[in-house]
Amino acid sequence: MRQNDIDGGREAQLSASAAADRGWDESLYEGDPAHPAGQGQNPENAAASASASRHGAGAGRGHRRGQRGRGGGAGGRSGKGGESAAAVSRAKRPSRGRRILRWSAAVLSVLILGTAAAGYLYYQHLNGNLSKDELNLGDNKLHRSDPNAAGQTPLNILLLGSDSRASKENVRLGGSRADRDRPPLADVQMLLHVSADRSNMSVISVPRDTRTTIPKCTDPDDGKVYPETTDRINASLQHGGPGCTVATWEEMTGIPIDHFMMIDFSGVVSMADAVGGVPVCVDKNVHDPKSQLKLKKGRSVVKGEQALHWLRTRHGFGDGTDIGRAKAQHMYMNSMVRQLKAGTKLTDPGKLRGLAEAATKALTVDKGIGSVKKLYDLGNDLKRVPTKRITMATMPWEYGGGGSYVLPKKGDSDQIFSLIRNDVALDGKDKKKAEAGKSAQPTEPSQPKDQIQVSVMNGTGTALQQPVTGRASVVAGALARKGFSQATADQTPQSRADTTISYPRQELRGDALAVAKALGVPERLVKHSTGVQRVTLIVGADWRDGTVYPKSEGGTDKKDQDKAPDSADALRGDNKKACMEVNPNYTW
């Protein structure tokens, strides 16, 4: 399922050590890929000018023009034809100076070109480290999130941890040699949601033993079709790859997934080493022989294999189930984010290079972010979120099947998924901002309702359910009977979990609210978006029949719907005092 880009492979590897000594930054991918000048330069020449790499390929292009003028150095060979020795001597002196100056410029040009080429080749080398796969293997995909009033779009990234034993190193780290040929399971699954305005980030973990519907998936490599089934969510990875896990998440949560990133055992170890270790805390001495985790009470810094032991342990924390493990993973991620945002290990170019190597070798990503440049840009986007506005939570769950698996907890899990779908932060701090914004916005229609243009679209289809035929026409007809005579059905295909009413300009908010009131749609589903041209109603999968929005499916606003429910066990990113509760059966 993985594709490794090997463009520039051998040459890139030969140049990697030289570039590695200098580290790398965004300047390494600002060069001209069509003209990787100096590709044949000796890497040692490239290493001679560290500052050139920081100026990027733009400096190299400027010096190429100077290099082409180097032939003028021959002009100093005058003095023939009976000129006096003094005249010849006088002519030679400035000529020698010019030759030295031009020679120096030429050497400098070669060094800069060599450095730029080495940087470009090293960038290609890092690209070659990445493995890439299809984003979604399902037949039906949710439409992407709409932009907000400022044209900004939220971002949803699915983070996966694979238990693959497909290499000697993964067998050594994960044990279970008998599983070497078994298709991997997605034992760690977290959805990272970044708000449209990049003011906050929410992370939701789903326990690996969550029983759910895995939709039909088709492996793009061999065309094998995996039929729809009900199983633990970690088995979705075996149905063609991470793209089937993405399809499963979209079906279960109604949240459109923009990207995924997957890492295996050895990747966790190399990343933990690259950042110099991650601080963690336990409230008692802990020893889990199965994961090999052994720590003393209090704070420790875990790195390498010890970090993997921390992330894998189930028995050592809480009640000894996957729920405790998810919380330990949240603590680890919070600490790692704080480490990276504080600049730990990122001031030394060599260590930065080590982090780049570890990250690119460790990851399998979707093709939409399948280059170092795109990952770098994505990282810069995520870096904008303040640590105090990062919230980690676990999907509210309940036991099923006599405790052999878990199920999403009705009500609470719907609430947390709805918050993400509607771009509301799990920490509850968006409420005041939203209320302040609404107070200055119009609430009355800008024109009589028979003049309000309304587009109605059918978004009732999901990965498992076909759209309800004619749904847009039915709802548009209901609006017409209520006086909105310019309501029309738009046949553009859509797929949305939630019904939404969007308006393109602030002065049309009152018009959108009038439409919502006529149909019983709650105000929280009315949004300002630059993605529409007029008031637009998308009838979602939550409203598959009838002409009045069903209150039993969320039609009534609740005071506690502006933050994660208590059952989500939320943890803030700036909480440095959090300590894992050790299972009393695994102390020493």
Side-chain angles (χ1 to χ4, degrees):
M1 285 302 301
R2 301 177 185 175
Q3 298 176 6
N4 285 315
D5 287 350
I6 55 174
D7 297 340
R10 287 202 180 108
E11 294 87 350
Q13 291 171 7
L14 289 173
S15 302
S17 60
D21 293 337
R22 293 185 300 277
W24 65 280
D25 56 25
E26 72 261 49
S27 67
L28 299 182
Y29 57 72
E30 290 175 354
D32 185 356
H35 304 285
Q39 224 170 11
Q41 298 292 335
N42 186 336
E44 293 178 0
N45 290 341
S49 181
S51 62
S53 68
R54 290 191 295 272
H55 288 84
R61 283 194 294 271
H63 283 278
R64 278 201 290 272
R65 289 193 291 272
Q67 191 176 19
R68 284 195 293 269
R70 188 174 51 179
R77 295 174 182 170
S78 57
K80 296 182 181 180
E83 294 180 0
S84 69
V88 171
S89 177
R90 285 193 302 272
K92 284 182 178 179
R93 278 195 295 271
S95 175
R96 185 180 300 113
R98 283 194 297 272
R99 283 202 302 273
I100 292 173
L101 181 62
R102 288 166 180 163
W103 180 85
S104 299
V107 170
L108 183 60
S109 297
V110 170
L111 293 178
I112 290 175
L113 286 172
T115 300
Y120 171 74
L121 290 174
Y122 186 54
Y123 164 59
Q124 291 294 82
H125 162 73
L126 292 177
N127 276 342
N129 286 344
L130 286 169
S131 294
K132 292 171 279 293
D133 216 328
E134 298 292 339
L135 175 62
N136 190 317
L137 302 184
D139 286 348
N140 301 306
K141 304 168 180 63
L142 293 174
H143 279 72
R144 302 304 92 189
S145 303
D146 288 329
N148 63 11
Q152 303 163 311
T153 305
L155 190 62
N156 297 310
I157 305 170
L158 187 59
L159 307 178
L160 303 174
S162 160
D163 75 344
S164 171
R165 269 85 168 176
S167 69
K168 290 182 179 179
E169 182 64 6
N170 279 333
V171 169
R172 185 183 72 81
L173 294 169
S176 301
R177 294 179 184 276
D179 287 342
R180 174 148 191 172
D181 296 325
R182 168 181 62 75
L185 298 165
D187 274 358
V188 177
Q189 300 188 28
M190 298 181 182
L191 179 69
L192 188 155
H193 170 84
V194 189
S195 66
D197 61 5
R198 304 306 187 252
S199 68
N200 65 83
M201 182 190 302
S202 301
V203 180
I204 303 176
S205 287
V206 166
R208 68 172 188 174
D209 293 332
T210 300
R211 190 171 177 83
T212 189
T213 300
I214 301 174
K216 172 187 170 186
C217 292
T218 303
D219 189 325
D221 288 348
D222 58 16
K224 183 175 179 179
V225 177
Y226 295 84
E228 176 189 321
T229 186
T230 300
D231 202 347
R232 288 173 173 79
I233 195 169
N234 66 343
S236 59
L237 189 61
Q238 298 180 333
H239 291 223
C244 194
T245 306
V246 168
T248 303
W249 266 78
E250 287 202 348
E251 170 53 34
M252 183 178 72
T253 67
I255 300 169
I257 308 297
D258 300 297
H259 301 293
F260 74 79
M261 298 181 184
M262 184 169 68
I263 191 169
D264 60 15
F265 293 150
S266 60
V268 169
V269 171
S270 59
M271 285 291 290
D273 281 340
V275 299
V278 176
V280 295
C281 179
V282 290
D283 67 353
K284 300 180 186 69
N285 294 346
V286 60
H287 183 209
D288 179 1
K290 293 188 177 182
S291 72
Q292 301 180 48
L293 178 69
K294 188 173 184 179
L295 291 175
K296 291 183 178 180
K297 176 182 177 180
R299 301 196 175 278
S300 305
V301 174
V302 295
K303 60 172 60 177
E305 293 184 30
Q306 196 176 39
L308 180 63
H309 300 160
W310 175 275
L311 294 170
R312 292 187 68 203
T313 191
R314 285 195 301 161
H315 306 284
F317 297 138
D319 61 358
T321 68
D322 198 50
I323 310 304
R325 181 169 71 166
K327 188 171 182 178
Q329 291 165 355
H330 292 164
M331 183 183 295
Y332 181 93
M333 284 188 63
N334 276 343
S335 293
M336 178 177 273
V337 168
R338 289 195 297 268
Q339 291 279 91
L340 292 173
K341 288 177 78 70
T344 303
K345 298 294 180 183
L346 301 186
T347 56
D348 184 313
K351 291 175 181 177
L352 178 58
R353 194 277 305 179
L355 180 59
E357 287 282 353
T360 53
K361 287 178 179 177
L363 290 174
T364 297
V365 299
D366 67 276
K367 294 179 180 179
I369 50 173
S371 72
V372 174
K373 179 186 185 305
K374 291 177 180 178
L375 287 173
Y376 182 87
D377 291 342
L378 178 62
N380 275 339
D381 219 16
L382 300 180
K383 192 168 62 175
R384 293 164 54 188
V385 179
T387 305
K388 64 182 180 181
R389 293 299 312 277
I390 298 174
T391 305
M392 306 251 177
T394 301
M395 176 196 75
W397 56 275
E398 56 192 7
Y399 282 116
S404 60
Y405 57 83
V406 301
L407 296 169
K409 185 178 182 180
K410 286 293 184 183
D412 284 4
S413 64
D414 296 335
Q415 178 180 332
I416 202 169
F417 295 150
S418 178
L419 289 172
I420 298 298
R421 289 194 299 263
N422 291 284
D423 198 22
V424 179
L426 298 185
D427 60 10
K429 293 184 178 180
D430 280 354
K431 184 178 181 180
K432 291 183 179 180
K433 181 177 68 173
E435 290 176 347
K438 288 178 182 177
S439 64
Q441 295 176 3
T443 57
E444 297 299 321
S446 64
Q447 53 196 326
K449 59 184 178 182
D450 63 350
Q451 296 180 24
I452 297 176
Q453 294 186 338
V454 185
S455 291
V456 183
M457 306 174 78
N458 184 357
T460 56
T462 70
L464 300 179
Q465 294 179 307
Q466 292 297 319
V468 179
T469 304
R471 192 78 184 107
S473 297
V474 169
V475 176
L479 278 172
R481 290 191 294 274
K482 292 178 179 293
F484 294 87
S485 56
Q486 295 199 47
T488 58
D490 185 334
Q491 303 304 321
T492 305
Q494 293 286 317
S495 181
R496 302 292 178 93
D498 293 325
T499 293
T500 57
I501 299 177
S502 302
Y503 55 96
R505 300 185 303 280
Q506 187 172 349
E507 60 266 26
L508 297 183
R509 179 172 182 265
D511 297 359
L513 289 174
V515 172
K517 184 177 180 181
L519 297 172
V521 177
E523 184 179 340
R524 62 184 171 81
L525 298 179
V526 178
K527 303 176 181 180
H528 187 176
S529 172
T530 59
V532 297
Q533 301 298 316
R534 59 181 61 84
V535 175
T536 301
L537 164 62
I538 300 179
V539 183
D542 58 346
W543 188 14
R544 293 178 64 85
D545 54 54
T547 56
V548 177
Y549 187 78
K551 291 186 178 181
S552 60
E553 296 295 328
T556 302
D557 285 315
K558 298 179 181 179
K559 292 182 179 179
D560 62 351
Q561 283 190 336
D562 59 352
K563 65 177 182 178
D566 292 340
S567 57
D569 201 14
L571 177 68
R572 274 180 38 166
D574 62 348
N575 186 347
K576 299 179 181 180
K577 297 181 180 179
C579 248
M580 282 305 301
E581 181 182 346
V582 173
N583 185 333
N585 297 321
Y586 287 84
T587 60
W588 59 280

